[in-house]
Amino acid sequence: MANVSVYNIEGKEVGTIDLSDAVFGVEVNEHLVHMAVVSQLANNRQGTQKAKTRAEVSGGGRKPWRQKGTGHARQGSTRAPQWTGGGVVFAPVPRDYSFKMNRKEKRAALKSALTTKVEEKKFIVIDEIAFDEVKTKNFANILKNLDVSKALVVLEDDNVNAELSARNIADVKTAKTNTINVYDILKYNTVIATKAVAKSIEEVYA
């Protein structure tokens, strides 16, 4: 089991926690991690771009000049791609870029990403994050105490004050146990989770 230090909101070490190897100590599968990232980015694509081909551009119904004797190259239409106002070669059309990964592949990719963060010592566990009020400055102080800038913070479902406090901080994103994904884990330098959330991740993804 991976043994990770537990910190308080002042950035002081207050203990340790054992993380399950079934989630945080798996063999990293880079291929599945790459597939998960590409899949998420592809699924986010709108896919609504469109340009007209030469068959769709209006005009160009007759030859601009006769076939021979003009000194010009032969031309069949003024709407061919080489003409101004002509159609686009292999024009983009609306399409669905998304592709699916099965559940086992997704889970293996997520475990690989979490394992990578633990190995790089970029997975920080905090005993708890509890705010009496919504205060961005309070959350910023926690990040400063932990010496962290770009972070993915995984919170409990009912920790609304902490979630709202982090909302206006650049390069910080909050997530819940069931919303974490490979892309966000890799995008942010550090993953921060409370003790309760770390155990919850083990239960959900083990």
Side-chain angles (χ1 to χ4, degrees), residues 91-185:
V93 295
R95 54 171 285 196
D96 180 11
Y97 290 92
S98 65
F99 68 92
K100 291 184 178 180
M101 295 175 64
N102 65 45
R103 189 178 299 175
K104 283 187 178 180
E105 288 176 329
K106 287 180 181 178
R107 186 158 289 196
L110 187 68
K111 291 178 182 179
S112 293
L114 290 170
T115 298
T116 300
K117 287 299 181 184
V118 172
E119 289 176 350
E120 295 174 349
K121 300 191 184 305
K122 296 291 186 180
F123 188 88
I124 296 177
V125 179
I126 295 184
D127 54 356
E128 65 172 350
I129 302 176
F131 292 157
D132 295 328
E133 58 179 343
V134 176
K135 196 81 171 177
T136 302
K137 186 176 180 180
N138 293 345
F139 206 100
N141 286 335
I142 294 177
L143 299 176
K144 185 178 179 180
N145 294 336
L146 294 170
D147 194 23
V148 171
S149 55
K150 193 173 182 181
L152 174 68
V153 184
V154 191
L155 300 168
E156 300 89 346
D157 292 347
D158 57 351
N159 200 343
V160 179
N161 285 350
E163 185 177 344
L164 294 177
S165 297
R167 185 170 53 180
N168 286 333
I169 302 177
D171 292 331
V172 171
K173 180 176 181 178
T174 59
K176 296 179 173 62
T177 302
N178 61 347
T179 64
I180 56 175
N181 59 75
V182 175
Y183 178 73
D184 284 341
I185 291 171

Side-chain angles (χ1 to χ4, degrees), residues 19-142:
L19 299 177
S20 171
D21 286 342
V23 177
F24 296 97
V26 301
E27 183 179 348
V28 176
N29 189 323
E30 293 183 2
H31 173 64
L32 288 181
V33 171
H34 177 261
M35 274 184 62
V37 171
V38 172
S39 173
Q40 185 169 343
L41 294 178
N43 294 350
N44 287 341
R45 292 185 69 172
Q46 197 169 20
T48 55
Q49 72 274 42
K50 177 72 176 77
K52 291 184 178 181
T53 64
R54 62 182 296 170
E56 296 167 313
V57 178
S58 63
R62 60 186 290 271
K63 284 170 72 67
W65 50 73
R66 68 179 192 268
Q67 181 82 344
K68 294 178 178 292
T70 62
H72 297 297
R74 68 187 82 176
Q75 298 292 331
S77 167
T78 57
R79 290 298 175 259
Q82 72 270 24
W83 284 74
T84 301
V88 179
V89 181
F90 305 130
V93 295
R95 54 171 285 196
D96 180 11
Y97 290 92
S98 65
F99 68 92
K100 291 184 178 180
M101 295 175 64
N102 65 45
R103 189 178 299 175
K104 283 187 178 180
E105 288 176 329
K106 287 180 181 178
R107 186 158 289 196
L110 187 68
K111 291 178 182 179
S112 293
L114 290 170
T115 298
T116 300
K117 287 299 181 184
V118 172
E119 289 176 350
E120 295 174 349
K121 300 191 184 305
K122 296 291 186 180
F123 188 88
I124 296 177
V125 179
I126 295 184
D127 54 356
E128 65 172 350
I129 302 176
F131 292 157
D132 295 328
E133 58 179 343
V134 176
K135 196 81 171 177
T136 302
K137 186 176 180 180
N138 293 345
F139 206 100
N141 286 335
I142 294 177

